[in-house]
């Protein structure tokens, strides 16, 4: 059997708990991390719902509504809202921009769900042939009007 000798390694292991206590994050960091996790959960959960309903709307041919909602909500909440949170509430730090981002994702997913459940997408026929434009006969044009 190997013999264990007292050395400086044993002394460093014995001192580890005291050293570890000095590395525990301050209460402020733990509080902000907990708050950030709440907003991340709202964001990720709402994002999952939004992806399902937005994809369903796009799949049945309703592409304009998701595009407009995404454009308006992204610029108003994520871009401007995030910038304003940093400007008006700098003490929130990195948590600040997640507040409007979570609101954006929650609002957008609720709007997509509302639009899908209304059922107006059922009237969209994505397989309909496009209407043909009337043909122009060469005799219908005056020679000066013929494009070159």
């Amino acid at each position: 059997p190997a013999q264990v000798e007292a050395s400086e390694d044993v002394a460093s292991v014995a001192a580890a708990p005291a050293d570890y206590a000095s590395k525990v994050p301050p209460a402020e960091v733990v509080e902000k991390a907990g708050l950030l996790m709440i907003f991340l959960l709202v964001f990720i959960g709402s994002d999952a719902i939004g992806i399902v309903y937005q994809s369903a709307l796009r799949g049945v041919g309703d592409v304009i509504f998701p595009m407009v909602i995404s454009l308006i909500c992204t610029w108003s909440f994520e871009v401007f809202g995030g910038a304003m949170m940093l400007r008006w509430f700098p003490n929130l730090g990195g948590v600040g921009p997640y507040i409007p981002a979570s609101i954006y994702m929650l609002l957008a997913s609720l709007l997509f769900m509302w639009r899908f459940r209304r059922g107006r997408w059922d009237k969209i026929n994505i397989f309909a042939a496009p209407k043909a434009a009337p043909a122009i006969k060469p005799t219908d044009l005056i020679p000066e009007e013929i494009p070159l």
Side-chain angles (χ1 to χ4, degrees):
Q3 233 179 2
V4 178
E5 295 179 16
S7 69
E8 56 194 52
D9 292 335
V10 174
S12 66
V13 170
D19 187 35
Y20 177 76
S22 67
K23 293 182 181 177
V24 173
E28 180 184 353
V29 173
V30 173
E31 181 182 329
K32 284 191 178 183
L35 186 62
L36 182 61
M37 286 297 155
I38 291 171
F39 287 115
L40 283 173
L41 283 172
V42 170
F43 185 88
I44 292 170
S46 301
D47 189 29
I49 293 169
I51 287 172
V52 169
Y53 280 104
Q54 185 177 23
S55 299
L57 285 171
R58 288 180 177 171
V60 295
D62 191 0
V63 294
I64 302 297
F65 182 80
M67 178 191 66
V68 170
I69 292 299
S70 296
L71 184 71
I72 291 171
C73 286
T74 300
W75 276 95
S76 61
F77 286 101
E78 285 198 15
V79 176
F80 295 122
M84 292 303 114
M85 288 298 286
L86 288 175
R87 177 172 286 197
W88 293 337
F89 303 103
N91 59 334
L92 290 176
V95 177
Y98 276 96
I99 296 171
S102 298
I103 294 170
Y104 149 68
M105 200 51 71
L106 186 61
L107 178 66
S109 62
L110 289 174
L111 286 171
F112 295 145
M113 186 187 319
W114 169 78
R115 176 72 171 199
F116 186 81
R117 292 193 178 213
R118 273 186 49 200
R120 297 185 96 191
W121 55 267
D122 196 22
K123 296 175 180 68
I124 299 172
N125 186 0
I126 60 173
F127 299 109
K131 295 180 181 179
I136 298 175
K137 298 177 191 171
T139 57
D140 293 342
L141 297 174
I142 301 172
E144 292 86 30
E145 295 178 0
I146 297 176
L148 298 176

